Amino acid sequence: MHGLRPKAAAFALLFSVVATAAQESPGVQPAAVQADVKPARAGRPAVTAAAPKISAPATVAARTAAVASESARIDSVTEPPLSDGERGRIRSALLWSGDYTGSLGGDDPMVAAIKNYQKRAKSRVTGVLSAAERANLLAAAQMHENEFGWTVVVDPATGVRIGLPMKLVPQARDTPRGTRWSAKHGEVQVETFRIKNTDVKLPALFEQQKNEPKTRKIEQSALRDDSFVITGMQGLKKFSVRAYSRDGEIRGVTVLFDQMMETIVAPVTAAMVSAFSPFPERALPFAAPAKMVEYGTGLVVSDRGHIITDRKLTAGCQVIIASGLGDADRVGEDNNDGLALLRVYGPHKFSPLALAQGPSTASDLTLIGIPDPKEQNGAGKFTEVKARLGQGNAIDLRQPIPMAGFSGAAAVDPQGQFLGMMEMRNFILASTEPSAPPVRLITAETIRRFLTTQNVPLSAKGADAKSAVVRIICVRK
């Protein structure tokens, strides 16, 4: 790290919009399909009588088939099928290396990223990693992760995918429009933001960001139809803002760091640019900022005031509040299944949930939860999110939206039958390690078993999920 001396212009490119097409190098025709043509010796006629007569189209078809067969053979030797965990590790490593830049020309983004990596490594460009290439790529990513605490996550407050050097920015806190990660004394800061107000247009935000705060001095800026980039100085810090607009909202990220930190921060800037995606298509674990006040969702399950919710939501809470019902005590938990049991006391009119008696075959789900207050201008109304149930009880969200406040939400099928509770998985291991589904279903049967072990009396006639949903507020020191 001390040997790095990046030029000042390097940071100006930190959040520039770069799109590099992955061009496949012309391959060498396999020996098995090379034309077997020998020149006639002088004074002797060429032997043609025994040669098979093959029409031009047949020759092309035969060669095409042979090339396809040879390519399949090479791929099967160099790269066995990837599991979901392996694919996730490789994607994270390609994000760190700066090769995961999207796709041009119809390639799968992963294939395009592998081609980018192979071009840089001056390897044969196939879009398929050999065993040696995979080992080298993962080893390099692991080294950097160990050094910086690098991890790629989704910010639940804004829905953006972001790469974070957690050893540089270990502290996290809510902001009015997103989340801020920072070093202990603020010398490095990474802040996400999301603006839903349709009255705020991208050009207006572009001008505002160039002039606020007043200490900003712009070095480079570029406004496009759906995005902008601004870099420069903000007092004694270098800064960069990157924003994108889609579907009536704007999402972005701001990075600031002290000038004296440039040689330390510079090695991770390319990885942050590569990893950042305002509207990610692929699911990743959610970031887990240790907030002083955290919001989630609970489900009333008995007429005596019992509530189930996500166990992680209640961890380290000094006070737990069930909105509209008062203070709640944590009276039980299940570490294996991620459940926490709360109870509120006093005279209340509860609407306990009706638990399903058997498994549902539905693949379409509706999640019913109460988002973070800043998503509703301070309100506490429930919101419905459409999703699908995948393998291993994984929940696939249909669109990249903020999920802050949704952990513990109810999942119902198209007929309104309660299927289980949604659990948001936060990152625990380094990003190159396999992880559980970012959002998963804790089934109704699992919840029923847990409540039975806790001696919770279930209501004979339960209410629908909407009536049982309640906001849970965790207050920490």
Side-chain angles (χ1 to χ4, degrees):
M1 299 237 336
H2 296 292
L4 294 171
R5 294 292 184 270
K7 296 181 180 179
F11 183 73
L13 300 176
L14 168 59
F15 287 106
S16 61
V17 181
V18 180
T20 304
Q23 302 290 336
E24 184 170 1
S25 302
V28 179
Q29 193 177 36
V33 295
Q34 289 179 354
D36 187 14
V37 179
K38 297 180 181 179
R41 293 182 182 177
R44 295 182 59 184
V47 179
T48 57
K53 294 182 179 180
I54 303 177
S55 63
T59 301
V60 172
R63 290 182 176 180
T64 301
V67 169
S69 176
E70 178 67 7
S71 296
R73 184 191 69 79
I74 292 173
D75 289 349
S76 67
V77 171
T78 58
E79 178 63 17
L82 293 176
S83 67
D84 290 342
E86 290 171 326
R87 186 177 176 87
R89 290 196 299 271
I90 291 172
R91 184 188 304 120
S92 295
L94 290 166
L95 284 168
W96 170 262
S97 65
D99 295 304
Y100 201 101
T101 58
S103 171
L104 295 177
D107 269 345
D108 176 274
M110 177 77 105
V111 174
I114 291 173
K115 288 181 178 180
N116 290 342
Y117 172 75
Q118 290 171 328
K119 288 176 68 176
R120 286 196 308 103
K122 298 185 176 3
S123 303
R124 180 168 174 260
V125 180
T126 63
V128 178
L129 290 171
S130 68
E133 288 171 336
R134 186 197 303 189
N136 291 337
L137 176 66
L138 294 178
Q142 188 65 58
M143 178 184 69
H144 292 302
E145 287 182 359
N146 292 339
E147 184 176 4
F148 293 103
W150 173 260
T151 188
V152 182
V153 292
V154 172
D155 174 24
T158 60
V160 306
R161 183 186 72 198
I162 187 168
L164 293 170
M166 294 304 298
K167 290 184 179 179
L168 292 181
V169 289
Q171 298 183 350
R173 57 174 295 181
D174 272 341
T175 65
R177 291 178 173 176
T179 307
R180 178 186 300 142
W181 287 268
S182 65
K184 183 177 181 180
H185 301 293
E187 55 269 33
V188 182
Q189 299 177 31
V190 180
E191 182 173 332
T192 61
F193 60 87
R194 175 175 179 256
I195 302 173
K196 296 189 298 179
N197 188 346
T198 55
D199 294 334
V200 179
K201 303 301 182 183
L202 196 67
L205 182 64
F206 177 68
E207 294 300 324
Q208 177 189 6
Q209 289 291 317
K210 287 198 299 182
N211 296 293
E212 294 181 8
K214 294 182 179 180
T215 55
R216 283 186 172 176
K217 295 182 179 180
I218 309 305
E219 295 178 352
Q220 290 191 6
S221 64
L223 173 65
R224 296 173 174 79
D225 291 341
D226 63 349
S227 63
F228 69 72
V229 177
I230 306 170
T231 65
M233 295 294 297
Q234 182 173 316
L236 298 177
K237 297 182 185 297
K238 287 182 173 290
F239 86 92
S240 181
V241 183
R242 181 179 185 174
Y244 287 85
S245 175
R246 194 175 92 177
D247 299 331
E249 65 177 90
I250 302 171
R251 299 183 185 183
V253 63
T254 301
V255 176
L256 298 95
F257 62 84
D258 291 350
Q259 293 183 73
M260 64 180 182
M261 297 287 293
E262 185 169 6
T263 56
I264 298 175
V265 177
V268 301
T269 55
M272 293 178 66
V273 170
S274 178
F276 180 75
S277 176
F279 301 92
E281 299 300 329
R282 297 182 183 274
L284 282 171
F286 286 93
K291 301 177 182 178
M292 292 183 63
V293 179
E294 186 172 359
Y295 296 87
T297 299
L299 306 172
V300 178
V301 291
S302 84
D303 54 13
R304 297 185 183 179
H306 292 92
I307 301 171
I308 58 166
T309 189
D310 183 352
R311 184 184 63 83
K312 293 188 298 298
L313 172 64
T314 65
C317 303
Q318 300 300 310
V319 178
I320 301 175
I321 302 170
S323 183
L325 299 176
D327 290 356
D329 293 337
R330 187 167 68 172
V331 295
E333 64 178 0
D334 186 330
N335 293 332
N336 292 329
D337 291 314
L339 291 167
L341 180 64
L342 310 179
R343 188 174 183 185
V344 294
Y345 300 91
H348 296 286
K349 185 178 180 180
F350 298 106
S351 298
L353 184 68
L355 295 176
Q357 293 292 336
S360 172
T361 58
S363 58
D364 291 324
L365 301 177
T366 298
L367 303 175
I368 304 173
I370 304 178
D372 189 286
K374 64 186 174 187
E375 287 296 309
Q376 308 183 57
N377 295 321
K381 299 179 180 179
F382 68 78
T383 298
E384 298 184 2
V385 175
K386 300 299 182 182
R388 291 183 63 85
L389 186 61
Q391 294 182 349
N393 289 327
I395 296 177
D396 300 322
L397 302 175
R398 290 187 172 179
Q399 54 183 333
I401 62 173
M403 296 299 290
F406 254 83
S407 196
V412 300
D413 67 11
Q415 287 71 46
Q417 175 179 307
F418 176 73
L419 301 180
M421 188 187 82
M422 188 198 89
E423 181 194 20
M424 289 171 54
R425 289 295 183 95
N426 307 124
F427 74 88
I428 299 175
L429 304 173
S431 62
T432 55
E433 295 296 326
S435 60
V439 183
R440 69 154 184 152
L441 178 72
I442 302 176
T443 66
E445 182 57 34
T446 299
I447 294 171
R448 180 185 292 278
R449 289 197 305 268
F450 170 63
L451 295 177
T452 299
T453 63
Q454 297 293 318
N455 299 315
V456 175
L458 301 180
S459 175
K461 293 183 179 180
D464 62 16
K466 293 180 182 179
S467 301
V469 166
V470 62
R471 167 175 279 165
I472 302 298
I473 306 170
C474 167
V475 181
R476 302 183 177 95
K477 283 186 178 181

